Amino acid sequence: MPFHFRTVQKPVTTFLLTLPIIIFTKSHVIDVARVSGPSMSPTLNTPPAPRSPYPLPSTNSHTDPTTVLPSTSRDFILISKWNTAHKLRRGQIVVLRSPINPEAAVVKRVIGLEGDVVRVKTGRRLGWQRTGRGGSLYGRALMPGDLIVVPPGHCWVEGDGEISRDSNDFGAVSISCVQGRVAGRLFPSSQSGILERLDESENMIRPDAIVKRSRIEMPPVRRYVPGSFGLW
Amino acid sequence: QSIFLLHLIWDKFVHVSATLGPSMLPTFNTTDDWILVSRLHTLGRGCKVGDVISYTHPVDGPGVFVTKRIIGMEGDFVVKDPMDGTGEMLQVPQGHVWTTGDNLPHSVDSRQYGPVPKALIRGKVLARVFPL
């Protein structure tokens, strides 16, 4: 019936027309997400106060769903996606696509930028059995205490928590994998206001991580120059 | 609003892109070839050995795109560089692919910068749209 169709049509078409705007904003400007896993405790996802001597199990691992990890709260974060890859700084908390599982996004802290010499964390609790080469550019598995030079166009990311699958397992990550920067925590929030800012200073980096800093403070923006074929 | 709709189609479904460089001769010309990239195959979904894919350059950053052919998927054993005579092989790590260009002497690819994470893959090249 034409009358009913017209009363339904307007909100539906308005919704369909705003959908692309929402999708664009969500993937390129700003996004909200829920963080699972203990790899950023206690910065994000603080573990609950122990009520029993046995840790409560939960299965949230981005590569192996059968892994049992300690349970934590699941925080909501605000992610800023606009132009973040060019403005990475050491100490920032970023959201990146995992190089070992492209469908999963992980939240970690940037420890080193290209040219830095980082020391692989000693005494990690969660190991990961890799097949063949670990990381993109290394010829062997990363051993605790190794000194690694972060290659050009890559960064070294680590989780704050004890149990974390990060660059200590899969090596330096290409900066193009970084999707966005965590602007702050939305819920649960201990401060007044909607957004709780997180500590992103370099004080949060473990002291033995960066052995030598490169003179490059931010990843340079490389642009292709037409005509410079050579090796392309 | 139409701009956002176009962006949606461009980002999620298919888009057309230009090629540049001699690394994929004779499959693609050095310049002025336009290819159709399927964005349904982002992140390496549905891509297999032999597919030509478009991915973000792992070193040169988020703005630069590369078109190469997949030689090995994760877990496969590939020869690091068939042209250097050693025959040294490596196993492609989990979540990565090994790519080379069709024009091996004039191609910068996985032989130089290592396996490419599937997270960087933007899509699969379906066809060349111009010149036909």
Side-chain angles (χ1 to χ4, degrees):
Chain A
M1 292 197 242
F3 178 67
H4 288 297
F5 175 68
R6 243 177 329 131
T7 49
V8 164
Q9 182 195 25
K10 192 137 193 304
V12 172
T13 47
T14 316
F15 171 69
L16 285 176
L17 286 172
T18 44
L19 199 62
I21 302 179
I22 298 171
I23 295 178
F24 175 81
T25 313
K26 206 165 170 294
S27 62
H28 289 278
V29 182
I30 212 160
D31 194 8
V32 177
R34 202 164 179 208
V35 183
S36 67
S39 67
M40 285 294 290
S41 299
T43 312
L44 290 172
N45 286 8
T46 53
R51 265 172 277 150
S52 73
Y54 306 103
L56 300 165
S58 70
T59 61
N60 37 19
S61 160
H62 72 280
T63 48
D64 182 13
T66 62
T67 311
V68 171
L69 299 167
S71 78
T72 58
S73 68
R74 291 186 64 193
D75 295 356
F76 287 90
I77 53 168
L78 189 71
I79 308 170
S80 158
K81 293 195 180 183
W82 188 254
N83 212 19
T84 47
H86 298 278
K87 292 199 220 113
L88 280 185
R89 294 212 168 273
R90 298 182 191 91
Q92 274 186 345
I93 306 176
V94 294
V95 175
L96 56 133
R97 288 213 176 272
S98 165
I100 48 177
N101 181 8
E103 304 289 337
V106 297
V107 181
K108 297 282 177 280
R109 193 184 290 274
V110 175
I111 303 290
L113 299 175
E114 72 174 48
D116 289 352
V117 180
V118 293
R119 187 190 304 274
V120 176
K121 201 157 143 188
T122 53
R124 283 177 289 148
R125 278 180 60 188
L126 189 67
W128 173 48
Q129 299 298 318
R130 275 155 303 169
T131 54
R133 272 156 59 126
S136 317
L137 299 172
Y138 306 117
R140 53 180 178 76
L142 297 171
M143 303 301 292
D146 272 356
L147 293 179
I148 303 282
V149 180
V150 180
H154 284 61
C155 58
W156 188 269
V157 291
E158 280 183 12
D160 290 345
E162 278 185 0
I163 302 178
S164 166
R165 216 162 249 157
D166 48 30
S167 283
N168 293 308
D169 298 289
F170 45 70
V173 172
S174 175
I175 285 176
S176 318
C177 289
V178 172
Q179 304 290 117
R181 189 180 75 80
V182 175
R185 170 166 44 202
L186 290 170
F187 180 80
S189 178
S190 59
Q191 297 174 359
S192 61
I194 301 176
L195 198 66
E196 177 187 346
R197 303 233 170 246
L198 300 165
D199 188 356
E200 290 191 333
S201 66
E202 293 196 16
N203 298 332
M204 295 296 289
I205 302 178
R206 64 186 163 92
D208 65 330
I210 304 179
V211 172
K212 185 179 95 144
R213 274 158 212 272
S214 68
R215 261 175 272 121
I216 304 170
E217 280 306 316
M218 281 199 292
V221 176
R222 288 171 224 266
R223 302 223 181 274
Y224 172 65
V225 176
S228 65
F229 282 170
L231 284 178
W232 172 253
Chain B
Q1 269 172 340
S2 46
I3 297 177
F4 287 113
L5 189 62
L6 258 164
H7 167 268
L8 180 69
I9 298 176
W10 196 259
D11 210 40
K12 300 285 178 212
F13 296 111
V14 285
H15 70 69
V16 184
S17 142
T19 67
L20 200 59
S23 64
M24 288 294 288
L25 288 170
T27 315
F28 298 131
N29 288 321
T30 313
T31 53
D32 295 334
D33 258 19
W34 291 82
I35 52 174
L36 187 71
V37 177
S38 159
R39 295 284 306 210
L40 297 167
H41 292 88
T42 344
L43 308 179
R45 297 168 191 151
C47 291
K48 52 190 193 313
V49 174
D51 285 347
V52 179
I53 53 165
S54 168
Y55 58 91
T56 311
H57 201 290
V59 175
D60 286 346
V64 181
F65 303 113
V66 182
T67 317
K68 296 281 180 273
R69 193 180 293 274
I70 297 180
I71 300 297
M73 300 292 295
E74 55 187 340
D76 293 348
F77 289 91
V78 293
V79 177
K80 218 190 247 184
D81 193 350
M83 286 187 351
D84 69 6
T86 59
E88 189 184 338
M89 297 183 79
L90 64 99
Q91 188 174 24
V92 180
Q94 182 184 0
H96 290 67
V97 293
W98 186 269
T99 64
T100 64
D102 287 349
N103 188 6
L104 278 183
H106 297 281
S107 170
V108 175
D109 44 40
S110 282
R111 298 171 299 156
Q112 275 75 34
Y113 44 69
V116 175
K118 276 164 62 162
L120 297 183
I121 295 180
R122 308 243 315 160
K124 183 159 90 160
V125 174
L126 297 176
R128 173 168 54 197
V129 291
F130 186 82
L132 297 166

